[in-house]
Amino acid sequence: MRRPLLVMTAIVAIAAGLFGWVRMQQGFSAREEPSRVERLIALTLRRLAVPAGARAARNPLPASQEVVAEGRAHFADHCASCHANNGSGETPIGRGLYPRAPDMRKKDTQALTDGELYWVIHNGIRLSGMPAWGDADHDEDSWKLVAFIRHLPSLTPQEEAEMEGLNPKSPTEL
């Protein structure tokens, strides 16, 4: 029983050392796309960062048009600078982060539970560009954002245009 565990540990250590050596030869520039291994590690760490109890939490707010609209307005004002109004992450800031801001319309985000989405919004993710938002305890705005994130795959052009009017403006734009 101990021998297979020891062999597996040695293989993982050698692989990690080889991966580290290769990365050191190339550097750790944020300009590069993450490798498959880096992406897998990041997604695994994000999953492990969320406590099991938080994963099971359900959005206490109904996914009504009003709640989604409030989440959409909040997202436009607070989140779109990194994530884009449509959730694609295709903004200068979102593309400059490492790891990149995710396309929140896709499976990697949409497959998260409501509790996982809330936890990530509310607590942030260390060693990424995702800060913690909301009040220290319960935050209703974060739950509204969860409802809006669920709506992102069906965002209409009219809703996206409305969001543009709610995006923060620089002094030059004003």
Side-chain angles (χ1 to χ4, degrees):
M1 182 81 168
R2 292 184 124 197
R3 187 171 190 150
L5 182 61
L6 191 59
V7 170
M8 188 61 134
T9 302
I11 289 170
V12 168
I14 291 168
L18 183 59
F19 176 75
W21 180 80
V22 168
R23 293 306 299 161
M24 292 306 290
Q25 300 305 310
Q26 298 172 353
F28 286 97
S29 171
R31 295 184 187 280
E32 298 175 23
E33 284 297 317
S35 69
R36 285 184 183 186
V37 172
E38 289 172 296
R39 186 167 160 69
L40 177 65
I41 290 169
L43 290 173
T44 301
L45 290 175
R46 178 182 70 184
R47 178 119 175 108
L48 293 173
V50 180
R55 269 189 225 119
R58 292 187 180 267
N59 194 336
L61 304 177
S64 67
Q65 289 182 352
E66 180 182 334
V67 168
V68 171
E70 289 177 26
R72 182 173 59 247
H74 190 90
F75 190 93
D77 188 40
H78 293 81
C79 311
S81 58
C82 294
H83 293 286
N85 285 327
N86 64 7
S88 68
E90 290 297 319
T91 68
I93 295 173
R95 287 188 303 268
L97 293 173
Y98 196 84
R100 309 276 186 261
D103 186 335
M104 295 169 35
R105 304 167 297 183
K106 294 191 175 175
K107 182 183 174 195
D108 284 345
T109 299
Q110 292 296 319
L112 296 174
T113 67
D114 288 353
E116 286 172 310
L117 289 172
Y118 175 86
W119 196 93
V120 168
I121 294 164
H122 194 72
N123 296 289
I125 302 174
R126 287 186 187 183
L127 304 176
S128 78
M130 183 63 193
W133 295 103
D135 298 330
D137 295 323
H138 175 78
D139 180 28
E140 193 170 276
D141 285 336
S142 294
W143 283 117
K144 290 175 184 176
L145 287 170
V146 170
F148 175 68
I149 290 166
R150 294 283 184 231
H151 177 73
L152 277 170
S154 59
L155 187 70
T156 67
Q158 296 90 341
E159 290 171 325
E160 193 171 348
E162 176 189 311
M163 292 174 78
E164 288 177 24
L166 300 172
N167 294 143
K169 305 289 185 251
S170 69
T172 307
E173 293 172 304
L174 293 173

